[in-house]
């Protein structure tokens, strides 16, 4: 563009919202619903060499500010040296002015390998943790086992104790299955259990295991019963808020405090989100690692390639009342439609149902919420 042109402006590149480094495509667990499906995440048993991680952060930092760096797996604590080296490099680039501010840091870990040294390091570097907790031991240990078949609940709880001891903020995710429901663990109960762990945020996500009706709630006769339990959980969350207590339910926080609807896109994959696999391949999202049609050789190529799919691509999205706030995961779309991402009917139904239920519940409880002068907690940035 010509400098000084009255009808054109030179825009600085958008900051990179999230850079995900899949530092280990190995995992020490064998969860029943894992979408990685094998011992090696997405079929590859690799650990990221430090030089691959450094190349990724340097390439991104040279072109854009990086707001957030996430360490991912498999299980990232199987390659902690790569984490140490990368964080030190980010700090060095910040000191040199290459990065105008230090990116926020997080790690998605199953916590079974957490120890004092790593918890202390995370606290020193202001790194938060995201982990999975599928409920009390009796249900968690049926779903999240190690490769010898042993449950992981006790090790996860020990890891949470270490995070709390060192003041490391953490988020929790419960992957809800038909096995939960059949064994009497309804969704409001899961909300109470996760809330009791004092997380910065918790999420209940429905297991996506296409072809497995014993785990995937959408694949069998329990679908609408589970939707009903989900509605009850949202009403329960707002009842807790109305009583003046903070329950950091992720979906409720995101919807009721949303300030920037995304009418055109389902998520940030490929627009401000890049994932780098252990072998250096770059993808719009960690959920797409191993899918060769989405691979590029540079994070900047991935960002320049556009998003995998957008709402205007689908006629069904045009008249949907949930369109503006819909954030259906494109990676989950690909699980049900591997040939090309598209909204799956049950994902749409769940999103529409959730938004309608929240609006009804919030409207009914507005007087109590106002009396308590208790706004919904702010979402995690």
């Amino acid at each position: 563009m010509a400098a000084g042109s009255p009808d054109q402006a030179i825009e600085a590149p958008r900051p990179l919202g999230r850079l995900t480094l899949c530092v280990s495509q190995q995992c020490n667990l064998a969860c029943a619903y894992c979408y990685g499906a094998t011992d090696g995440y997405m079929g590859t048993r690799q650990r990221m060499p430090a030089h691959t991680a450094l190349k990724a952060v340097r390439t991104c930092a040279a072109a854009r500010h990086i707001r957030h760096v996430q360490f991912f797996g498999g299980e990232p604590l199987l390659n902690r040296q790569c984490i140490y080296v990368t964080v030190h490099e980010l700090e060095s680039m910040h000191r040199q002015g290459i990065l105008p501010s230090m990116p926020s840091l997080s790690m998605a870990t199953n916590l079974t390998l957490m120890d004092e040294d790593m918890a202390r390091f995370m606290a020193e570097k202001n790194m938060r943790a995201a982990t999975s907790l599928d409920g009390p031991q009796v249900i968690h240990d049926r779903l999240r086992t190690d490769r010898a078949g042993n449950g992981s609940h006790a090790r996860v709880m020990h890891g949470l104790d270490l995070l709390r001891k060192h003041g490391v903020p953490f988020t929790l995710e419960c992957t809800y299955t038909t096995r939960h429901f059949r064994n009497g663990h309804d969704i409001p109960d899961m909300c109470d259990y996760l809330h009791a762990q004092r997380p910065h945020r918790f999420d209940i996500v429905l297991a996506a295991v296409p072809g497995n009706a014993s785990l995937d709630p959408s694949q069998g006769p329990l679908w609408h019963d589970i939707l009903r339990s989900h509605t009850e959980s949202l009403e329960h969350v707002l009842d807790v808020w109305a009583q003046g207590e903070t329950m950091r339910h992720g979906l409720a926080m995101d919807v009721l405090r949303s300030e920037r609807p995304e009418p055109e896109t389902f998520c940030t994959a490929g627009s401000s989100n890049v994932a780098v696999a252990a072998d250096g391949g770059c993808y719009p999202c960690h959920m797409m690692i191993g899918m060769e049609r989405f691979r590029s050789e540079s994070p900047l190529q991935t960002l320049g390639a556009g998003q995998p799919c957008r709402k205007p691509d689908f006629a069904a999205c045009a008249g949907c009342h949930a369109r503006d706030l819909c954030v259906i995961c494109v990676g989950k779309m690909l699980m049900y439609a591997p040939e090309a991402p598209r909204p799956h009917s049950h994902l749409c139904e769940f999103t529409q149902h959730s938004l309608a239920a929240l609006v009804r519940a919030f409207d009914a409880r507005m007087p109590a919420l106002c009396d308590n002068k208790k706004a919904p907690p702010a979402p995690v940035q």
Side-chain angles (χ1 to χ4, degrees):
M1 297 181 187
S5 173
D7 55 355
Q8 292 181 318
I10 298 175
E11 295 184 1
R14 287 181 60 188
L16 177 57
R18 183 176 69 193
L19 173 63
T20 298
L21 299 175
C22 196
V23 297
S24 172
Q25 288 180 233
Q26 294 175 291
C27 189
N28 60 327
L29 295 187
C31 301
Y33 47 72
C34 178
Y35 60 86
T38 63
D39 182 22
Y41 177 76
M42 297 304 189
T44 303
R45 286 179 50 83
Q46 288 186 305
R47 299 185 187 183
M48 179 179 285
H51 67 80
T52 299
L54 296 180
K55 179 182 177 181
V57 297
R58 288 166 181 166
T59 298
C60 292
R64 299 187 178 202
H65 174 44
I66 307 171
R67 288 178 175 164
H68 183 74
V69 174
Q70 177 187 40
F71 298 100
F72 198 78
E75 173 47 48
L77 289 181
L78 289 169
N79 191 10
R80 60 181 66 199
Q81 187 61 34
C82 186
I83 297 171
Y84 295 145
V85 169
T86 304
V87 172
H88 292 149
E89 178 65 13
L90 290 167
E91 291 176 327
S92 175
M93 288 191 291
H94 175 41
R95 287 193 299 270
Q96 296 173 53
I98 299 170
L99 287 170
S101 61
M102 182 66 186
S104 60
L105 304 171
S106 69
M107 183 195 309
T109 169
N110 60 39
L111 279 187
T112 60
L113 302 176
M114 183 59 61
D115 56 23
E116 289 276 357
D117 288 343
M118 179 53 70
R120 189 178 300 110
F121 176 81
M122 294 179 72
E124 291 172 354
K125 305 304 180 182
N126 297 313
M127 184 187 301
R128 64 177 186 263
T131 197
S132 293
L133 182 61
D134 284 353
Q137 184 170 5
V138 65
I139 185 67
H140 178 102
D141 279 352
R142 293 183 64 185
L143 295 166
R144 299 185 61 82
T145 67
D146 61 23
R147 300 199 171 276
N150 302 309
S152 60
H153 186 270
R155 284 172 282 173
V156 173
M157 299 306 286
H158 175 66
L160 289 177
D161 286 342
L162 289 174
L163 297 182
R164 284 188 284 256
K165 174 183 175 181
H166 291 278
V168 177
F170 61 89
T171 64
L172 298 175
E173 180 174 286
C174 167
T175 302
Y176 195 82
T177 67
T178 54
R179 192 172 293 174
H180 284 82
F181 195 81
R182 291 184 187 279
N183 286 274
H185 302 284
D186 64 19
I187 300 180
D189 288 341
M190 292 301 98
C191 289
D192 285 336
Y193 183 79
L194 298 179
H195 173 58
Q197 310 307 319
R198 308 196 307 276
H200 201 51
R201 170 198 176 110
F202 70 85
D203 289 276
I204 310 285
V205 300
L206 300 186
V209 196
N212 187 342
S214 68
L215 291 177
D216 191 327
S218 71
Q219 302 297 303
L222 294 177
W223 172 236
H224 286 98
D225 291 329
I226 290 174
L227 273 182
R228 190 177 306 112
S229 180
H230 172 62
T231 299
E232 292 170 356
S233 75
L234 296 175
E235 293 171 345
H236 175 57
V237 169
L238 290 185
D239 281 337
V240 172
W241 286 357
Q243 294 163 12
E245 183 179 353
T246 298
M247 180 178 271
R248 293 184 171 274
H249 185 286
L251 175 62
M253 291 194 297
D254 288 348
V255 171
L256 296 179
R257 295 292 298 269
S258 178
E259 297 176 356
R260 195 180 65 175
E262 295 287 353
E264 303 299 319
T265 62
F266 291 104
C267 68
T268 59
S271 63
S272 64
N273 182 26
V274 176
V276 182
D279 67 358
C282 301
Y283 300 84
C285 172
H286 65 270
M287 297 281 285
M288 299 171 196
I289 287 177
M291 300 180 184
E292 287 302 309
R293 65 188 183 278
F294 296 117
R295 179 185 173 112
S296 65
E297 298 307 314
S298 164
L300 303 182
Q301 290 176 5
T302 300
L303 291 170
Q307 295 186 307
C309 66
R310 301 169 69 253
K311 295 174 190 176
D313 298 337
F314 305 98
C317 294
C320 177
H321 73 271
R323 182 180 190 272
D324 283 358
L325 290 174
C326 174
V327 288
I328 292 176
C329 172
V330 174
K332 280 194 174 182
M333 292 186 198
L334 283 163
M335 289 185 189
Y336 295 100
E339 70 285 356
R342 65 176 183 271
H344 185 277
S345 59
H346 91 264
L347 295 175
C348 293
E349 185 177 8
F350 181 79
T351 298
Q352 294 163 351
H353 189 89
S354 299
L355 291 174
L358 275 169
V359 169
R360 289 194 306 270
F362 188 75
D363 185 60
R365 292 156 181 79
M366 178 69 81
L369 287 166
C370 290
D371 287 346
N372 277 313
K373 297 182 176 61
K374 186 75 172 179
V380 177
Q381 299 299 317

